[in-house]
Amino acid sequence: MPSPSPSPQRSVAELVARAREGEARAVARLITHVESGAAALPEIAATLAPTAGDAIVVGLTGSPGVGKSTTTNELVRAFRAAGKRVAVLAIDPSSPYTGGAILGDRIRMQDHATDPGVYIRSMSSRGHLGGLSAATPAAVRVLAGVGFDVVLVETVGVGQAEVEIASLADTTLVLLAPGMGDAIQAVKAGILEIADIFVINKADRDGVEATHRDIQGMIALGGSDRGPGDWRPRVVKAVAARAEGIDGIIAAIEEHRTWLVDTDQLTVRRRRRAAAEIEALALGQLRARFAELPGEGLSALADKVVTGSLDPYAAATQLLDELV
């Protein structure tokens, strides 16, 4: 059931104001409203819209075991050293049987638990494909709106097709590690295409140079699609467990940010992100209206399709006509 929402207008305004002042409990309550689909969400969004902020949204993705949480932890440390307020959304896979999740990424980042300038939230994917949770885009918007300078989004351990993070982040980091199989197999298809920065983590292992050559080779092969002035993915080596190479990752993120601003690609990406969010919300509202239609609903039309008295295309047209 949706969580209870603040009833008077001032309750939402006060909650947002407290979150902007850095109160972790207020931030947590706002994200809880997002995850539960609370009735107050439109009110919260309207309150946040005028000061949506200009947070840097960085996505971290890669196969399980490459060190995403460790790298995220060290990036938090580096951004905090630069005086930035940092939020982390760590997406954990949910059980296909119970729907629950361990939410263990937050446990790995206890170094920052007492830092008032850091907010860490684990979110269950709840079966949503693409490496994220369905609530992640709205949660990012909330965190940017309450004044975080950097929002780090760590996906679940993903495969070749789970590339949704690219539509959400300003800068996408794809993490790899030597000794985990064929590097080209690991980054082919969609994963190769979404990376703004490749991070070869655990670079103290054997095989790091081979992995580096493989990635550079794949970037070169994809160069035919890039025009003059287009971004060429950077490749950075790191040993996050020893905080080595983190400065290089930060430098690459800042370089990419400069390119995004100078080429107006930051606006393009954010416009695309907003369009996807609007579309998802509109489709959700349409599904809710379908269930409320008088007369023949979706179930009745499905029965007709099963018996052959109606084809799916005609049924879809009839459903839309009833809605209009």
Side-chain angles (χ1 to χ4, degrees), residues 2-279:
S3 66
S5 54
S7 45
Q9 170 68 31
R10 68 176 184 274
S11 296
V12 168
E14 288 172 3
L15 190 63
V16 170
R18 282 161 40 207
R20 285 179 176 148
E21 290 169 2
E23 184 183 319
R25 190 172 180 178
V27 177
R29 190 174 175 193
L30 288 172
I31 301 297
T32 297
H33 285 319
V34 167
E35 287 194 285
S36 62
L41 270 181
E43 191 179 345
I44 291 170
T47 305
L48 289 171
T51 53
D54 193 31
I56 301 169
V57 182
V58 179
L60 294 92
T61 189
S63 302
V66 295
K68 294 188 297 297
S69 294
T70 306
T71 303
T72 300
N73 190 62
E74 293 305 320
L75 287 176
V76 170
R77 196 186 312 280
F79 280 122
R80 286 297 293 144
K84 297 186 183 296
R85 192 176 172 210
V86 185
V88 177
L89 290 176
I91 316 302
D92 278 327
S94 56
S95 167
Y97 302 104
T98 66
I102 296 175
L103 305 180
D105 287 327
R106 186 170 180 175
I107 298 171
R108 299 189 188 103
M109 301 180 201
Q110 285 302 302
D111 292 354
H112 311 289
T114 59
D115 186 342
V118 177
Y119 177 77
I120 300 171
R121 177 77 172 225
S122 288
M123 301 177 72
S124 169
S125 64
R126 300 187 181 183
H128 184 76
L129 300 179
L132 299 177
S133 159
T136 307
V140 168
R141 187 171 294 279
V142 166
L143 293 169
V146 299
F148 284 96
D149 301 305
V150 181
V151 180
L152 302 175
V153 183
E154 179 193 331
T155 74
V156 302
V158 299
Q160 296 169 10
E162 293 165 306
V163 294
E164 191 175 339
I165 185 63
S167 65
L168 178 67
D170 300 327
T171 300
T172 301
L173 276 58
V174 173
L175 273 67
L176 306 164
M180 297 190 67
D182 182 2
I184 299 303
Q185 177 71 16
V187 300
K188 72 179 185 180
I191 287 289
L192 175 65
E193 295 164 4
I194 69 167
D196 298 307
I197 302 166
F198 286 104
V199 177
I200 304 176
N201 192 31
K202 306 183 181 182
D204 52 344
R205 289 184 174 182
D206 292 338
V208 62
E209 294 304 327
T211 301
H212 188 268
R213 286 194 303 270
D214 288 344
I215 299 304
Q216 292 285 16
M218 289 299 292
I219 293 171
L221 286 173
S224 58
D225 297 331
R226 288 191 293 272
D230 285 351
W231 176 259
R232 187 181 192 275
R234 304 298 189 255
V235 184
V236 182
K237 299 175 187 175
V239 184
R242 299 204 300 255
E244 296 176 5
I246 303 302
D247 289 345
I249 300 175
I250 296 289
I253 292 171
E254 291 176 348
E255 183 184 2
H256 185 246
R257 175 78 171 189
T258 300
W259 175 83
L260 287 172
V261 173
D262 291 347
T263 60
D264 203 34
Q265 284 299 306
L266 185 62
T267 301
V268 171
R269 292 191 180 201
R270 292 186 170 180
R271 186 182 297 122
R272 190 183 304 139
R273 183 194 310 168
E277 190 175 355
I278 293 167
E279 182 180 359

